Amino acid sequence: MENYPDYIFKIPNYDPVATNTDDYYFDEDRANHVIGFIESLKFIEGSKAGQPFVLEPWQKAIVGNIFGWVNESGMRRFKKIFIEIPRKSGKSMLLSAIMLYICCCEVEAAAQNYSVAADRDQATIIYNNISRMIDNSSILRKITKKYKSYKKIEFRRNDTVFKSLSSDNKGKHGLNIHALIIDELHCITDRELIDALITSQGARSNPIIMYITTAGIYDPESICYKEYEYACNVRDGVFEDERYLPVIYEADSSCRDNADYPCSEGCTYTEETFWQCPKIIERANPNLGVSVPMSFFLDELKRAMSSPEKEAAFKRLYLNIWVQSHSAWLNMDKWQKCGKHELLTAEEELELDWYGGLDLSKCHDLSTLVLVALKDNVVYAKCFVWMPKSAAIRKQESDRVPYLTWAKAGIITLTDKEITDYQFIQDSILALSKQYKIKEIAVDSWESEHMIQQLADEGLDIFPFSQGIKSISHPSKKFEESIIEERFCHGNNPIMRWCANNVQVYKDPNENIKPVKESPHSSKRIDCIISSIMACARLIENEYVEEEFIGDILFM
């Protein structure tokens, strides 16, 4: 084998030489020319601002491979580059420097070069980086003219231009693109836009597209995931595409077995907890210790371990692991620890004030009532569940859920009607109200007006509760806090645990959250958790002492 420079082997899990053909060869002088140009630039921010932009080995590998592989005519081998690197790795800065080289040094007449992002703020990042690099160079200032309001830069050599666009800019079908950066591809949903940008390069002799992104929300039909999947197949040798360069820094459980990143002897990380290993964090973050210290990741890791939602964000942003669209919500380790509280005595149960949350089935699924009471800063919960017997028999077989076993243990009450027996449930609640001091019950107001009226007529204080995101967000967050702080006593109720393990969370742009099922048709129920949240909402609202919450520490 020929003597190649070391950096061409630094692309993670990919060897460009393995796909070498007679059409392309590696020109080390050309690669070093680009590396030299970039290293003549200066850092524009951070502790190294004003210092030469000295490339790290992983950055040199990307630059060297993009520009070193050429054919006899000097045309680049790689037409498409997919770069997926975690946040805080400086990938936007690197791509800005690459784009600046293309604009300044490539001999392409009237080259049109663009960066595109999903929104205006993201689209401006590449432009601002290039603009500030130019400002730091007396030579580059002489050969450029900037139009800040248009996010456009003209390069006097060969009438080259660079411009940043957001996905909502008009007129992309009329472009004639030489070099293109698509920034944070996982945020772009407009397939027509991407197709228009790619096809706009048809008239160019040496075009290049550079996708840069972090991992996104898993959706097999999304633009970014499809591109990621293709890049993985090229990297792994499933597809042969000699003109496609995949650069993917990511963590997965197989990293534990990588010879370059051995854990210490006696490592206890498993397939489930591998992402917590510092060596895995190191493997996924090539700029560790340069643009960001390990202490930052370890601090973020501590936060991630407190909540499945934060865990999903950590995995996606810092380990490049694609995560499900609705994050797993409750920390089940914390849930398990909540089961260590001693149960209330029968006498204590009778003395406390209880608040309820009632979630009624519309047809033949679970109907649940959870009662909660506060004692010594711990929320105690009692769960009551009803289900039609015929549905339990059918669903135990189809859904593989032990409804009948739970019924024998007294955890579920089975009713004789084929559909939800509202009268039976109402009578059961009235019986409980004679046993416990039930101060108030929250009931989902959707199609429950009759039940609400009947219970109110019997003297119970009923609170109609909408399960819309604005109503349920605040008590959901407080319920989660009580789990994290290990102050929610559920008595190790197995059906509550099952529901807790099933519940996921949807978050809107305003950080409101709503507990949701895996999908509308999923057999994984979350009813007990919804009832618990509604009950806690009434507990929070009603338990006052001198205009302050009794549960001030717990809920605020």
Side-chain angles (χ1 to χ4, degrees):
M1 181 178 289
E2 298 179 45
N3 292 321
Y4 292 102
D6 290 342
Y7 54 74
I8 73 169
F9 298 104
K10 299 298 184 181
I11 302 297
N13 301 317
Y14 179 71
D15 181 1
V17 178
T19 60
N20 195 11
T21 69
D22 294 336
D23 295 329
Y24 298 96
Y25 68 98
F26 189 82
D27 187 332
E28 187 171 356
D29 290 338
R30 187 183 292 261
N32 287 334
H33 180 266
V34 186
I35 292 170
F37 173 88
I38 293 175
E39 292 190 334
S40 72
L41 303 173
K42 294 179 180 179
F43 285 106
I44 59 174
E45 60 187 12
S47 61
K48 293 185 177 181
Q51 299 178 28
F53 190 170
V54 178
L55 296 175
E56 297 299 315
W58 69 275
Q59 295 172 320
K60 187 179 289 189
I62 293 174
V63 174
N65 280 285
I66 291 175
F67 293 97
W69 292 100
V70 293
N71 63 13
E72 293 296 336
S73 301
M75 300 294 103
R76 284 186 302 271
R77 166 182 168 180
F78 292 114
K79 183 178 178 180
K80 286 187 179 182
I81 296 91
F82 180 84
I83 302 174
E84 189 178 275
I85 302 179
R87 182 178 286 186
K88 292 190 176 292
S89 295
K91 57 184 180 294
S92 293
M93 188 66 68
L94 175 64
L95 269 292
S96 300
I98 289 173
M99 178 61 82
L100 185 53
Y101 171 85
I102 291 172
C103 292
C104 290
C105 303
E106 291 208 338
V107 239
E108 178 82 10
Q112 297 180 16
N113 304 314
Y114 293 89
S115 69
V116 176
D119 58 64
R120 294 179 186 273
D121 290 341
Q122 186 68 37
T124 302
I125 291 175
I126 300 291
Y127 169 84
N128 287 341
N129 289 345
I130 293 176
S131 177
R132 292 171 67 187
M133 288 176 180
I134 290 172
D135 289 342
N136 285 337
S137 169
S138 58
I139 296 175
L140 294 180
R141 288 199 302 269
K142 292 177 182 178
I143 65 169
T144 58
K145 184 176 182 180
K146 293 189 289 185
Y147 301 86
K148 187 175 181 180
S149 59
Y150 297 103
K151 299 296 181 280
K152 176 181 176 182
I153 303 172
E154 289 182 353
F155 295 80
R156 294 191 172 92
R157 183 185 186 189
N158 293 330
D159 297 322
T160 293
V161 297
F162 167 79
K163 188 173 182 180
S164 285
L165 303 171
S166 63
S167 60
D168 58 356
N169 281 116
K170 306 300 180 184
K172 300 183 187 67
H173 288 277
L175 302 179
N176 182 13
I177 299 175
H178 168 61
L180 173 66
I181 294 173
I182 301 181
D183 196 5
E184 294 298 358
L185 179 62
H186 74 276
C187 295
I188 296 178
T189 58
D190 188 344
R191 171 69 64 182
E192 184 180 352
L193 163 68
I194 299 299
D195 290 342
L197 294 172
I198 293 173
T199 55
S200 72
Q201 294 187 312
R204 292 294 179 180
S205 60
N206 195 23
I208 183 172
I209 295 178
M210 294 167 281
Y211 301 107
I212 58 174
T213 191
T214 51
I217 302 299
Y218 173 73
D219 176 359
E221 298 305 313
S222 70
I223 298 170
C224 190
Y225 190 80
K226 282 183 175 294
E227 198 66 41
Y228 163 75
E229 200 170 37
Y230 184 82
C232 289
N233 282 325
V234 174
R235 177 198 64 188
D236 299 338
V238 178
F239 297 158
E240 291 186 10
D241 189 341
E242 65 178 16
R243 304 207 65 187
Y244 193 102
L245 180 64
V247 184
I248 304 172
Y249 281 89
E250 63 182 350
D252 60 49
S253 58
S254 66
C255 293
R256 295 178 304 124
D257 304 319
N258 189 287
D260 294 333
Y261 291 89
C263 285
S264 59
E265 291 185 12
C267 176
T268 59
Y269 295 104
T270 66
E271 291 286 341
E272 289 73 32
T273 63
F274 77 92
W275 59 277
Q276 302 170 14
C277 176
K279 285 292 184 180
I280 299 302
I281 296 173
E282 178 185 341
R283 175 173 169 79
N285 290 274
N287 234 32
L288 180 67
V290 180
S291 60
V292 61
M294 175 60 89
S295 60
F296 170 84
F297 291 110
L298 295 181
D299 288 343
E300 292 297 306
L301 178 60
K302 288 179 183 178
R303 282 186 276 273
M305 292 171 68
S306 71
S307 160
E309 183 184 9
K310 293 182 177 67
E311 175 185 327
F314 182 88
K315 288 178 175 178
R316 185 174 73 82
L317 297 176
Y318 301 126
L319 298 180
N320 248 358
I321 298 173
W322 287 74
V323 297
Q324 295 293 328
S325 56
H326 291 128
S327 305
W329 184 34
L330 298 176
N331 185 319
M332 295 310 293
D333 288 337
K334 293 288 188 179
W335 179 274
Q336 191 73 14
K337 291 177 180 178
C338 286
K340 295 179 180 180
H341 288 286
E342 289 188 12
L343 300 179
L344 297 170
T345 65
E347 292 77 13
E348 288 173 326
E349 287 185 351
L350 297 177
E351 292 172 357
L352 293 174
D353 292 336
W354 294 86
Y355 296 86
L358 177 62
D359 189 34
L360 293 169
S361 166
K362 302 301 184 289
C363 190
H364 47 65
D365 285 317
L366 303 180
S367 293
T368 59
L369 170 71
V370 173
L371 298 177
V372 298
L374 188 65
K375 179 179 172 59
D376 298 331
N377 233 12
V378 175
V379 177
Y380 290 85
K382 296 184 70 66
C383 183
F384 306 90
V385 184
W386 299 271
M387 189 178 192
K389 184 176 182 179
S390 58
I393 294 171
R394 183 174 66 256
K395 288 177 177 289
Q396 174 157 302
E397 179 66 25
S398 62
D399 300 346
R400 298 184 180 277
V401 179
Y403 293 118
L404 300 180
T405 302
W406 288 337
K408 288 180 181 179
I411 298 167
I412 296 180
T413 299
L414 301 182
T415 57
D416 292 331
K417 283 189 176 181
E418 292 291 321
I419 59 174
T420 301
D421 192 335
Y422 293 108
Q423 187 61 53
F424 185 94
I425 295 172
Q426 179 178 310
D427 292 342
S428 300
I429 293 173
L430 290 173
L432 289 169
S433 71
K434 292 178 172 59
Q435 182 179 357
Y436 300 101
K437 291 194 292 183
I438 300 178
K439 305 295 288 184
E440 189 173 288
I441 298 178
V443 183
D444 183 7
S445 55
W446 177 254
E447 294 185 355
S448 301
E449 291 85 355
H450 181 72
M451 173 77 80
I452 291 173
Q453 188 60 52
Q454 290 291 320
L455 291 174
D457 289 346
E458 293 291 341
L460 288 176
D461 193 355
I462 304 300
F463 184 88
F465 186 96
S466 169
Q467 292 185 14
I469 191 167
K470 290 185 178 180
S471 301
I472 207 168
S473 177
H474 178 70
S476 296
K477 291 177 180 179
K478 299 309 174 187
F479 173 74
E480 181 189 16
E481 287 177 14
S482 72
I483 302 298
I484 292 171
E485 295 170 359
E486 300 174 21
R487 286 191 261 118
F488 182 82
C489 178
H490 48 63
N492 293 310
N493 184 302
I495 194 168
M496 289 189 77
R497 175 182 171 79
W498 178 61
C499 289
N501 196 50
N502 293 338
V503 69
Q504 301 181 358
V505 68
Y506 166 78
K507 179 182 290 187
D508 73 7
N510 297 317
E511 299 295 314
N512 294 310
I513 67 171
K514 179 178 180 178
V516 293
K517 294 197 300 179
E518 184 178 56
S519 72
H521 306 294
S522 174
S523 61
K524 297 179 179 180
R525 313 302 305 175
I526 64 172
D527 308 74
C528 295
I529 301 304
I530 299 299
S531 289
S532 298
I533 292 168
M534 291 196 293
C536 286
R538 303 318 305 153
L539 177 67
I540 297 168
E541 185 71 22
N542 286 282
E543 290 291 335
Y544 290 92
V545 172
E546 296 180 356
E547 299 185 353
E548 292 183 0
F549 292 130
I550 286 178
D552 202 29
I553 298 175
L554 176 62
F555 290 114
M556 296 300 291

mmCIF file of all heavy atoms in Angstrom, residues 216-230:
data_model
loop_
_atom_site.group_PDB
_atom_site.id
_atom_site.type_symbol
_atom_site.label_atom_id
_atom_site.label_comp_id
_atom_site.label_asym_id
_atom_site.label_seq_id
_atom_site.Cartn_x
_atom_site.Cartn_y
_atom_site.Cartn_z
ATOM 1 N N GLY A 216 -30.780 13.882 15.706
ATOM 2 C CA GLY A 216 -32.100 14.479 15.876
ATOM 3 C C GLY A 216 -33.065 13.548 16.584
ATOM 4 O O GLY A 216 -32.682 12.565 17.216
ATOM 5 N N ILE A 217 -34.334 13.891 16.474
ATOM 6 C CA ILE A 217 -35.401 13.051 17.008
ATOM 7 C C ILE A 217 -35.657 11.934 16.005
ATOM 8 O O ILE A 217 -35.831 12.183 14.821
ATOM 9 C CB ILE A 217 -36.684 13.868 17.219
ATOM 10 C CG1 ILE A 217 -36.417 15.046 18.158
ATOM 11 C CG2 ILE A 217 -37.788 12.986 17.766
ATOM 12 C CD1 ILE A 217 -35.962 14.647 19.537
ATOM 13 N N TYR A 218 -35.702 10.713 16.496
ATOM 14 C CA TYR A 218 -35.833 9.567 15.596
ATOM 15 C C TYR A 218 -37.145 9.615 14.825
ATOM 16 O O TYR A 218 -38.233 9.644 15.399
ATOM 17 C CB TYR A 218 -35.750 8.260 16.376
ATOM 18 C CG TYR A 218 -36.060 7.049 15.511
ATOM 19 C CD1 TYR A 218 -35.138 6.602 14.566
ATOM 20 C CD2 TYR A 218 -37.267 6.387 15.611
ATOM 21 C CE1 TYR A 218 -35.409 5.524 13.758
ATOM 22 C CE2 TYR A 218 -37.559 5.291 14.806
ATOM 23 C CZ TYR A 218 -36.628 4.861 13.879
ATOM 24 O OH TYR A 218 -36.916 3.792 13.075
ATOM 25 N N ASP A 219 -37.026 9.649 13.527
ATOM 26 C CA ASP A 219 -38.160 9.553 12.610
ATOM 27 C C ASP A 219 -37.611 8.956 11.325
ATOM 28 O O ASP A 219 -36.881 9.620 10.588
ATOM 29 C CB ASP A 219 -38.765 10.933 12.341
ATOM 30 C CG ASP A 219 -39.899 10.874 11.315
ATOM 31 O OD1 ASP A 219 -40.193 9.769 10.803
ATOM 32 O OD2 ASP A 219 -40.480 11.929 11.011
ATOM 33 N N PRO A 220 -37.935 7.687 11.048
ATOM 34 C CA PRO A 220 -37.333 7.013 9.889
ATOM 35 C C PRO A 220 -37.638 7.686 8.559
ATOM 36 O O PRO A 220 -36.961 7.441 7.573
ATOM 37 C CB PRO A 220 -37.924 5.600 9.959
ATOM 38 C CG PRO A 220 -39.148 5.715 10.788
ATOM 39 C CD PRO A 220 -38.875 6.817 11.776
ATOM 40 N N GLU A 221 -38.648 8.567 8.531
ATOM 41 C CA GLU A 221 -39.003 9.243 7.289
ATOM 42 C C GLU A 221 -38.424 10.649 7.199
ATOM 43 O O GLU A 221 -38.611 11.325 6.194
ATOM 44 C CB GLU A 221 -40.534 9.301 7.153
ATOM 45 C CG GLU A 221 -41.203 7.936 7.078
ATOM 46 C CD GLU A 221 -40.623 7.068 5.957
ATOM 47 O OE1 GLU A 221 -40.471 7.588 4.834
ATOM 48 O OE2 GLU A 221 -40.348 5.888 6.209
ATOM 49 N N SER A 222 -37.740 11.110 8.230
ATOM 50 C CA SER A 222 -37.218 12.476 8.202
ATOM 51 C C SER A 222 -36.040 12.593 7.234
ATOM 52 O O SER A 222 -35.343 11.616 6.946
ATOM 53 C CB SER A 222 -36.778 12.908 9.604
ATOM 54 O OG SER A 222 -35.611 12.214 10.001
ATOM 55 N N ILE A 223 -35.808 13.805 6.746
ATOM 56 C CA ILE A 223 -34.720 14.053 5.801
ATOM 57 C C ILE A 223 -33.383 13.677 6.418
ATOM 58 O O ILE A 223 -32.563 12.984 5.814
ATOM 59 C CB ILE A 223 -34.710 15.536 5.379
ATOM 60 C CG1 ILE A 223 -36.007 15.896 4.658
ATOM 61 C CG2 ILE A 223 -33.508 15.839 4.491
ATOM 62 C CD1 ILE A 223 -36.183 17.389 4.428
ATOM 63 N N CYS A 224 -33.162 14.140 7.654
ATOM 64 C CA CYS A 224 -31.861 13.932 8.279
ATOM 65 C C CYS A 224 -31.619 12.461 8.605
ATOM 66 O O CYS A 224 -30.512 11.956 8.397
ATOM 67 C CB CYS A 224 -31.744 14.779 9.549
ATOM 68 S SG CYS A 224 -30.081 14.815 10.242
ATOM 69 N N TYR A 225 -32.646 11.779 9.118
ATOM 70 C CA TYR A 225 -32.411 10.379 9.491
ATOM 71 C C TYR A 225 -32.130 9.530 8.258
ATOM 72 O O TYR A 225 -31.289 8.633 8.296
ATOM 73 C CB TYR A 225 -33.585 9.795 10.270
ATOM 74 C CG TYR A 225 -33.233 8.444 10.851
ATOM 75 C CD1 TYR A 225 -32.491 8.357 12.025
ATOM 76 C CD2 TYR A 225 -33.575 7.262 10.200
ATOM 77 C CE1 TYR A 225 -32.117 7.130 12.548
ATOM 78 C CE2 TYR A 225 -33.210 6.034 10.712
ATOM 79 C CZ TYR A 225 -32.480 5.978 11.889
ATOM 80 O OH TYR A 225 -32.101 4.751 12.396
ATOM 81 N N LYS A 226 -32.806 9.808 7.165
ATOM 82 C CA LYS A 226 -32.539 9.061 5.933
ATOM 83 C C LYS A 226 -31.098 9.293 5.463
ATOM 84 O O LYS A 226 -30.426 8.368 5.006
ATOM 85 C CB LYS A 226 -33.540 9.454 4.846
ATOM 86 C CG LYS A 226 -34.921 8.813 5.014
ATOM 87 C CD LYS A 226 -35.829 9.194 3.865
ATOM 88 C CE LYS A 226 -37.156 8.466 3.948
ATOM 89 N NZ LYS A 226 -37.041 7.010 3.773
ATOM 90 N N GLU A 227 -30.628 10.540 5.572
ATOM 91 C CA GLU A 227 -29.254 10.846 5.168
ATOM 92 C C GLU A 227 -28.264 10.168 6.115
ATOM 93 O O GLU A 227 -27.235 9.632 5.696
ATOM 94 C CB GLU A 227 -29.031 12.352 5.153
ATOM 95 C CG GLU A 227 -27.822 12.799 4.367
ATOM 96 C CD GLU A 227 -27.946 12.526 2.872
ATOM 97 O OE1 GLU A 227 -29.048 12.728 2.308
ATOM 98 O OE2 GLU A 227 -26.931 12.102 2.269
ATOM 99 N N TYR A 228 -28.581 10.215 7.414
ATOM 100 C CA TYR A 228 -27.740 9.549 8.417
ATOM 101 C C TYR A 228 -27.664 8.044 8.143
ATOM 102 O O TYR A 228 -26.583 7.442 8.200
ATOM 103 C CB TYR A 228 -28.303 9.811 9.803
ATOM 104 C CG TYR A 228 -27.804 8.884 10.885
ATOM 105 C CD1 TYR A 228 -26.520 9.017 11.413
ATOM 106 C CD2 TYR A 228 -28.620 7.861 11.386
ATOM 107 C CE1 TYR A 228 -26.059 8.168 12.408
ATOM 108 C CE2 TYR A 228 -28.162 7.011 12.385
ATOM 109 C CZ TYR A 228 -26.888 7.161 12.887
ATOM 110 O OH TYR A 228 -26.436 6.317 13.861
ATOM 111 N N GLU A 229 -28.799 7.456 7.828
ATOM 112 C CA GLU A 229 -28.848 6.021 7.551
ATOM 113 C C GLU A 229 -27.995 5.678 6.332
ATOM 114 O O GLU A 229 -27.255 4.682 6.336
ATOM 115 C CB GLU A 229 -30.310 5.601 7.329
ATOM 116 C CG GLU A 229 -30.584 4.132 7.490
ATOM 117 C CD GLU A 229 -32.067 3.834 7.496
ATOM 118 O OE1 GLU A 229 -32.821 4.489 6.742
ATOM 119 O OE2 GLU A 229 -32.481 2.939 8.245
ATOM 120 N N TYR A 230 -28.083 6.518 5.290
ATOM 121 C CA TYR A 230 -27.273 6.288 4.093
ATOM 122 C C TYR A 230 -25.787 6.423 4.421
ATOM 123 O O TYR A 230 -24.955 5.607 3.991
ATOM 124 C CB TYR A 230 -27.658 7.278 2.996
ATOM 125 C CG TYR A 230 -26.935 7.038 1.685
ATOM 126 C CD1 TYR A 230 -27.396 6.076 0.789
ATOM 127 C CD2 TYR A 230 -25.791 7.756 1.356
ATOM 128 C CE1 TYR A 230 -26.723 5.834 -0.407
ATOM 129 C CE2 TYR A 230 -25.113 7.521 0.173
ATOM 130 C CZ TYR A 230 -25.584 6.564 -0.706
ATOM 131 O OH TYR A 230 -24.910 6.320 -1.883
#
